[in-house]
Amino acid sequence: MKISVYYTPESTPDHVIPECAVVIDVLRATTTITTALNNGAKSVKAFSDIDLLLAESNQLPVESRLRLGERGGKKVDSCDLGNSPLDCSREVVTGKQLFISTTNGTRALQRVESAQTVIAGAIINYGAVVKYLKEYKPTTVWLLGSGWEGGYSLEDTVCAGAIASELVDFSNINDISNDEVVSAIALYCQWEDNLFDLFRLSSHGQRLLKLNLEEDLKYCSQKNLISTLPIQTDKGIFKINNK
Ligand code: MLT
């Protein structure tokens, strides 16, 4: 298994796609997608464009859909919910088809949507990601952070490091496809017991704290809270992996 870490969708190489892409947006899109599916949502469809989301979701009856929209950490007015995983309780999402658009996470999902396998990873479910990768052993794996508007993010990189640390054997350099892999593992080794503190330091963590979303940060920093693995079943559409 050849593993690469990319900090942002913009930093991935052109015209190349891995066999398996793990998209990571810890704060908060992939945490929210994982939580919603764990709590009984039928599916989650990701859109980078909010108008496309509104147009497609309009084709469903209001009672069977939920629209989640976020820009700059805040809820988009035309949507039912923002991007807080804490809003995706069983009572709210069970049996619903969700449609989501966020500032960075859904763009990262779109970048790799043509890969054979696309999964959504976060701190709350990284153990399920590792289990899947160990079982299916794809030949090429990208751990793709969403970052913030083209820039690096601590929270996505530390999650990539958590996953890579369980897959990479430093005595087998063939596993490691770029320097970012070793760097992400080093970040994880330094912060693995203090992820909430790391998220408080991160620029997007600070943005969310200013919006009074400290509880979101706490929730997103809990390691392996659930074992649900969202997997792409059709372009942009995620369901629970049943394989
Ligand atoms: C994003 O896509 O950048 C995020 O998920 C932002 C957020 O809602 O915290």
Side-chain angles (χ1 to χ4, degrees), residues 25-30 32 69-74 82-84 100-107 146-149 204 207-208 213 216:
D25 184 8
V26 173
L27 298 176
R28 297 163 293 173
T30 54
T32 297
E70 168 275 337
R71 290 294 180 269
K74 298 184 188 149
N83 183 27
S84 172
I100 186 170
S101 179
T102 71
T103 313
N104 304 286
T106 50
R107 274 189 308 115
S146 302
W148 188 267
E149 294 179 341
H204 188 48
R207 186 176 295 111
L208 294 175
L213 293 166
D216 280 31

Side-chain angles (χ1 to χ4, degrees), residues 3 5 123 126-127 130 133-134 143 157-170 175-176 180-190 192 223-224:
I3 300 175
V5 169
I123 288 295
Y126 82 85
V130 170
L133 294 174
K134 281 186 172 168
L143 305 177
T157 308
V158 83
C159 183
I163 297 166
S165 69
E166 297 208 26
L167 299 170
V168 167
D169 171 0
F170 283 132
D175 288 352
I176 301 171
E180 287 87 335
V181 176
V182 180
S183 188
I185 293 173
L187 182 70
Y188 177 67
C189 288
Q190 169 131 15
E192 59 182 314
K223 290 198 268 182
N224 292 326

Side-chain angles (χ1 to χ4, degrees), residues 211-231:
L211 296 169
N212 293 318
L213 293 166
E214 183 169 1
E215 290 307 311
D216 280 31
L217 254 64
K218 277 190 195 152
Y219 178 82
C220 295
S221 66
Q222 296 175 87
K223 290 198 268 182
N224 292 326
L225 184 66
I226 54 187
S227 55
T228 292
L229 184 68
I231 192 158

